[in-house]
Amino acid sequence: MINRVKIHFEQERDYLPLEAVRTLPEFFKQMMGGNGLYLKGYDTPIRAKFKGERPDGAHIWELETIPELIETIFTVQATPSFHVEVDYELINQKDNLLLGKIIDRRQTYATRQDPRNEKVRGNVVASNFLVAKTNIDFSKLTGVSSQVILSDIQRTVLKDYPQSKVVFLSVSIHSDEIDLMKEHKKPLFILDTETFESFSSEDVFNPKKTFEDEFLLDDKIQEYKKKKIGSYIYYPLFIQMKDMHFFAYISLETERPGIPGEVLDLFKEVERTFQERIMDSNTHILDIKQNVLNVSRGGVALEVNDMEIIRALKVKPTFTLDINFKLQAPIRMAVELRHLEEVNDYFRLGGRITGVSGDKKAKEIYHSLIDFFG
């Protein structure tokens, strides 16, 4: 039985519009004689044959095998050296023939620099996964390690705004602003507390209407006036576990209105830096083995059936692991998750290799082993 795959993670690709619609039939014919054309999104490769173009521009496709359900939108893909996807609206289906109208077409900027070696399956395994912990004790995030990280961030990233500070919820006083950040998962950025003008951005929540609806606006204006706060930005810090955990926020308050908009981008950088460092300090090794589906000089694909790895990757989509070729010493490498799909009873993981442990020779050994097992 052929089923749809469930996408859990997919890193965005940079695409170019594929404008040359009139050349598509020629391209399709070339691909049928080469790497092939496939229906996207199924657990079994479904080869597709281009059968022709009608006068109205609709395309006719013949499928080698028939999945149980063809959705109203289907995609035909091909990967010669770059990646091409063509989306169709399904007009009609008769047995294994599909009639579709093109609604979008695109190709990647990047071209594949080296081929994937599919022959390693059964000869190569991955082990010793260094991944994020999924059971972090959040009470410890206010401890010494976090304070050291934040002190370093304060000294480097926030050096031009020394009056900014990080407030942990465990030691902060409850407020309406904290409730709004928790609910909407966005920062509050008020440029002028007298008029309650908010920084205009989709990334920012404007609390003015909420305070008006709850008859709190006048009280808030008086509260900020009493505290001599003319402008402020409160930026929430979340850590993704099973859900988004709100544990602190970055605060900047000024007596005069008009905190510059650049501060928002600066606080985003603080958020990224803190999360990377706190997650790097909360990792552990899983001493398990998983099958390698394919390898290349720049990437690796795995068959994963251990749920702890899956949970960890949803927290932090980078990890390290050992690649074990038969009768060879393990090769340690760092990997960045590119896509994660659920296929029946296992997950298919694709990652980009960001580094190989050891000197230049270690990378050369890895490349030679790829060729050897080809």
Side-chain angles (χ1 to χ4, degrees), residues 28-220:
F28 290 153
K29 290 172 184 176
Q30 290 174 352
M31 290 308 302
M32 284 190 292
N35 292 358
L37 296 155
Y38 295 89
L39 202 62
K40 182 182 179 181
Y42 292 88
D43 59 2
T44 301
I46 301 176
R47 190 177 284 267
K49 292 182 180 179
F50 178 68
K51 301 298 288 184
E53 182 175 21
R54 295 200 323 184
D56 62 1
H59 287 173
I60 304 168
W61 290 95
E62 181 182 18
L63 303 183
E64 186 178 60
T65 52
I66 307 173
E68 189 168 315
L69 176 66
I70 296 289
E71 297 183 355
T72 55
I73 304 296
F74 67 92
T75 300
V76 175
Q77 63 181 9
T79 309
S81 59
F82 51 97
H83 185 75
V84 172
E85 294 185 357
V86 182
D87 295 335
Y88 289 89
E89 179 183 357
L90 181 64
I91 298 174
N92 194 15
Q93 178 184 0
K94 185 176 181 181
D95 298 326
N96 63 334
L97 293 176
L98 304 181
L99 179 65
K101 176 184 177 183
I102 293 178
I103 55 177
D104 191 25
R105 61 270 181 190
R106 53 199 173 271
Q107 72 176 65
T108 56
Y109 283 98
T111 59
R112 182 171 295 160
Q113 299 299 317
D114 55 288
R116 293 172 178 167
N117 183 339
E118 308 277 354
K119 297 179 181 178
V120 296
R121 189 168 188 174
N123 294 308
V124 182
V125 296
S127 63
N128 292 326
F129 290 78
L130 180 65
V131 296
K133 291 181 179 177
T134 57
N135 58 344
I136 294 176
D137 183 351
F138 287 102
S139 65
K140 294 181 180 178
L141 287 179
T142 58
V144 176
S145 62
S146 296
Q147 296 296 343
V148 171
I149 293 171
L150 291 170
S151 295
D152 181 62
I153 290 174
Q154 193 80 42
R155 186 175 63 255
T156 55
V157 183
L158 294 173
K159 60 184 178 181
D160 294 331
Y161 294 92
Q163 68 271 44
S164 60
K165 58 186 177 180
V166 174
V167 182
F168 288 99
L169 297 191
S170 58
V171 296
S172 69
I173 300 173
H174 179 268
S175 69
D176 299 312
E177 289 79 2
I178 288 176
D179 287 341
L180 290 175
M181 286 189 287
K182 183 176 182 180
E183 179 182 354
H184 298 281
K185 296 180 173 58
K186 291 184 177 182
L188 309 182
F189 191 173
I190 300 300
L191 298 171
D192 188 339
T193 56
E194 285 193 9
T195 61
F196 239 78
E197 177 191 358
S198 177
F199 184 82
S200 180
S201 170
E202 291 183 356
D203 296 331
V204 170
F205 178 73
N206 185 350
K208 185 174 183 178
K209 186 176 186 308
T210 300
F211 288 151
E212 284 177 337
D213 291 345
E214 296 178 359
F215 303 102
L216 291 174
L217 185 59
D218 290 339
D219 291 339
K220 286 294 178 183

Side-chain angles (χ1 to χ4, degrees), residues 252-294:
L252 177 61
E253 301 168 345
T254 62
E255 190 169 343
R256 293 183 178 181
I259 292 176
E262 65 187 34
V263 174
L264 184 63
D265 290 331
L266 188 66
F267 282 10
K268 287 180 182 178
E269 183 181 349
V270 172
E271 179 186 32
R272 286 193 300 270
T273 303
F274 182 80
Q275 290 203 26
E276 286 174 3
R277 295 190 189 179
I278 201 68
M279 295 314 298
D280 285 345
S281 64
N282 285 277
T283 56
H284 63 155
I285 288 182
L286 300 178
D287 185 16
I288 55 177
K289 293 181 179 180
Q290 303 287 279
N291 291 327
V292 175
L293 298 176
N294 65 64

